[in-house]
């Protein structure tokens, strides 16, 4: 019988905490030495290979800071799961469990003491190593990686706490090490695969799905993925600030909830469940369901030679896959076929969920296909047309185009995109609440010739191109001309920045004055491209009615420039 009180003078939980540290002190010291040998010792050894300037060395230290922080986050996440498993391994053996429960310490105290000790043991080597990196950087580069390093340490602490909380749910719910490992890997891996399956269904069955929801789905259903994705984004995203407050709050809240849930499970856990497969059977059903539904989809896709949702073969083998995987998992978990009926029910249920998901998505019961935001909710909208993104000042044009595509069923399935004059048109709404709504349609663009022509001639398009040019101010811009027969009339010629600006303005005026529809695919085109913040390229369709543009290009003698370029290239080859 477990005692319900603890001494006020000597708290047994505190003594257990200290005992855990003393017992693992030797291993802890060895791990700390190993971390320090990697960072900063290895860093200092390779410092001579870096330039001597402060800027070069600061960049070197910054790269080490981020890279080693990521390594620490992963290593601490793995370590805390392993240490938690060791600290609570007494639950998996009936004598050890009985003995621990007989100690004069409350279960809550025992849980908190062992979780905290496991957490501290797992993070100490990483923190010491990262702090030493900061101290060394102060002596060598004098400045600015300290604030970044402090935030990195905070993120390491956060993701490690998240992994600790998640692992404790599985440890408490399992009744032996093997089934903990199977359920921990099966559920976390199964959630990721299930998320990919769902988003693949969206892509296959929803017209307009822009394949942007995959990350959102994975982050929503997999806490470990969310934690480490947010950490990696913090380290390597150029658009990410020093602190992502929304990520921190969500990760911290879910971590606290998981710890509370694990504690409640531990307090209600029965000692006699030690040594069985699971102390709580819900963990078996969740794992069995995820394994079965993933296997169901994979079997169907393999034997139907792809995800053909109209093929009976897909569903026949999906059912077979669900039943086989559920029965095998049940046999492994319960060491035999004693639960065959239960396994078949789980497999059948997972297959039913797969079929229902296909029906719900294909029938668009959630209204995805016809969803168009109201103009009052839109901050701005971009339309991506054949690789060129045009930002529209007036969202109404995009709304009208979107309605025309939906109401007239102009979008085609992925299997039909290889028809003549078929292009992808993306409509991306950025809403006032900072969320986005993106739709991507494959269209036979002769259906929306007038809309494409209006976009290609719009002030918004040309203002956007000129803005990109003026922001990067390239010294030269690569220029090509392809005539309407597909011949290279001008190739490997260059315009100066000023000439390019003038060309665009003259072309814009010609485009507005001509009756020619620029969406027609028999037109020739000019191409300009340059490198700035990234690589930019724009195509300008034309015919003989673009008189002023042609006259201006003729005045530049671009063919002479091409000849000079080729002569220079030939000379370089001869001398080489």
């Amino acid at each position: 019988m477990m005692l319900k009180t603890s001494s006020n003078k000597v708290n047994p939980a505190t003594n257990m905490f200290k005992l855990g540290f003393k017992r693992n002190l030797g291993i802890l010291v060895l791990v700390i030495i190993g971390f320090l040998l990697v960072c900063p010792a290895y860093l200092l050894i390779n410092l001579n290979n870096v330039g001597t300037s402060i800027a070069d060395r600061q960049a070197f230290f910054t790269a080490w800071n981020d890279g080693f922080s990521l390594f620490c986050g992963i290593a601490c996440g793995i370590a805390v799961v392993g240490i938690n498993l060791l600290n609570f391994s007494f639950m998996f053996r009936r004598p050890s469990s009985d003995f621990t429960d007989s100690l004069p310490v409350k279960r809550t105290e025992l849980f908190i003491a062992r979780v905290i000790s496991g957490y501290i043991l797992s993070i100490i080597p990483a923190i010491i190593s990262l702090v030493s990196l900061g101290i060394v950087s102060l002596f060598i580069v004098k400045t600015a990686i300290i604030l970044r390093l402090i935030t990195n340490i905070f993120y390491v602490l956060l993701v490690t706490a998240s992994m600790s909380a998640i692992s404790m749910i599985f440890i408490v719910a399992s009744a032996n090490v093997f089934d903990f490992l199977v359920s921990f890997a099966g559920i976390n891996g199964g959630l990721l695969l299930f998320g990919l399956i769902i988003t693949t269904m969206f892509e296959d069955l929803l017209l307009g799905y822009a394949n942007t929801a995959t990350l959102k789905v994975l982050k929503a259903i997999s806490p470990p993925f969310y934690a480490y994705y947010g950490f990696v984004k913090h380290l390597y995203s150029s658009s990410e600030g020093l602190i992502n407050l929304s990520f921190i709050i969500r990760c911290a809240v879910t971590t606290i909830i998981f710890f509370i849930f694990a504690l409640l499970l531990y307090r209600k856990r029965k000692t006699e469940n030690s040594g069985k497969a699971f102390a709580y059977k819900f963990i078996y059903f969740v794992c069995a369901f995820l394994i079965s539904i993933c296997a169901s989809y994979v079997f169907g896709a393999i034997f139907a030679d792809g995800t053909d949702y109209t093929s009976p073969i897909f569903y026949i083998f999906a059912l077979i896959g669900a039943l086989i995987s559920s029965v095998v998992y049940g046999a492994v978990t319960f060491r035999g076929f004693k639960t065959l009926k239960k396994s078949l029910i789980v497999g059948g249920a997972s297959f039913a969920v797969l079929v229902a998901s296909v029906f719900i998505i294909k029938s668009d019961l959630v209204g995805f296909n016809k969803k168009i935001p109201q103009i009052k909710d839109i901050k701005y909208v971009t339309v991506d047309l054949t690789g060129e993104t045009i930002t529209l000042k007036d969202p109404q044009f995009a709304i009208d185009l979107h309605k025309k595509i939906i109401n007239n069923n102009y979008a085609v399935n992925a299997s039909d995109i290889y028809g003549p004059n078929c292009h992808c048109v993306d409509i991306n709404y950025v809403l006032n609440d900072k969320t986005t709504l993106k739709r991507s349609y494959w269209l036979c663009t002769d259906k929306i010739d007038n809309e494409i022509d209006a976009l290609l001639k719009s002030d918004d398009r040309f203002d956007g191109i000129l803005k990109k040019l003026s922001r990067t101010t390239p010294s030269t811009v690569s220029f090509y001309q392809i005539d309407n027969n597909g011949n290279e009339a001008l190739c490997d010629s260059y315009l100066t920045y000023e000439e390019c600006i003038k060309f665009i303005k003259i072309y814009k005026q010609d485009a507005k004055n001509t009756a020619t529809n620029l969406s027609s695919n028999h037109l020739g085109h000019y191409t300009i491209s340059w490198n700035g913040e990234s690589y930019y390229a724009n195509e300008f369709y034309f015919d003989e009615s673009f008189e002023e543009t042609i006259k201006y290009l003729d005045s530049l003698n671009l063919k002479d420039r091409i000849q000079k370029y080729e002569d220079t290239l030939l000379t370089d080859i001869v001398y080489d």
Side-chain angles (χ1 to χ4, degrees), residues 147-152 154-155 234 239-245 248:
L147 184 58
R148 177 76 172 179
L149 182 129
I150 292 172
T151 58
N152 285 1
F154 176 76
Y155 273 82
H234 158 73
S239 61
E240 189 80 359
L242 192 62
I243 288 289
N244 184 334
L245 192 58
I248 290 171

Side-chain angles (χ1 to χ4, degrees), residues 11-157:
N11 192 316
T14 304
N15 287 341
M16 294 183 71
F17 181 85
K18 294 177 181 178
L19 179 63
F21 260 98
K22 290 179 181 179
R23 186 174 56 186
N24 294 285
L25 188 60
I27 295 176
L28 180 62
V29 170
L30 289 176
V31 174
I32 291 173
I33 292 172
F35 268 71
L36 290 174
L37 287 174
V38 175
C39 179
Y42 184 77
L43 176 147
L44 293 173
I45 291 171
N46 286 272
L47 191 61
N48 291 330
N49 299 327
V50 184
T52 57
S53 71
I54 293 295
D56 288 340
R57 294 197 166 190
Q58 184 165 324
F60 181 67
F61 271 82
T62 301
W64 260 91
N65 177 18
D66 289 346
F68 190 72
S69 295
L70 179 59
F71 167 77
C72 288
I74 295 172
C76 290
I78 296 172
V80 79
V81 174
I83 294 173
N84 282 344
L85 187 60
L86 289 174
N87 281 346
F88 288 89
S89 60
F90 66 87
M91 294 189 302
F92 303 149
R93 296 184 300 274
R94 181 66 183 271
S96 299
S97 184
D98 286 339
F99 172 76
T100 305
D101 283 345
S102 68
L103 296 174
V105 55
K106 294 179 180 179
R107 279 195 171 188
T108 300
E109 293 175 337
L110 177 65
F111 180 89
I112 293 173
R114 295 210 170 190
V115 166
I116 292 177
S117 68
Y119 179 71
I120 293 176
L121 281 169
S122 67
I123 63 172
I124 283 177
I127 302 306
I128 290 176
S129 192
L130 286 170
V131 169
S132 67
L133 171 64
I135 293 171
V136 169
S137 72
L138 283 175
F139 286 101
I140 295 178
V141 296
K142 310 293 183 188
T143 59
I145 76 159
I146 298 302
L147 184 58
R148 177 76 172 179
L149 182 129
I150 292 172
T151 58
N152 285 1
I153 290 175
F154 176 76
Y155 273 82
V156 170
L157 296 176

Side-chain angles (χ1 to χ4, degrees), residues 409-444:
N409 296 317
Y410 283 160
V412 297
N413 290 311
S415 58
D416 302 322
I417 66 176
Y418 301 107
N421 205 27
C422 218
H423 298 286
C424 184
V425 176
D426 294 341
I427 303 173
N428 186 26
Y429 301 97
V430 179
L431 306 181
N432 293 324
D433 61 2
K434 297 182 181 179
T435 60
T436 59
L437 188 149
K438 186 172 183 178
R439 296 292 183 264
S440 182
Y441 298 101
W442 279 96
L443 305 168
C444 293

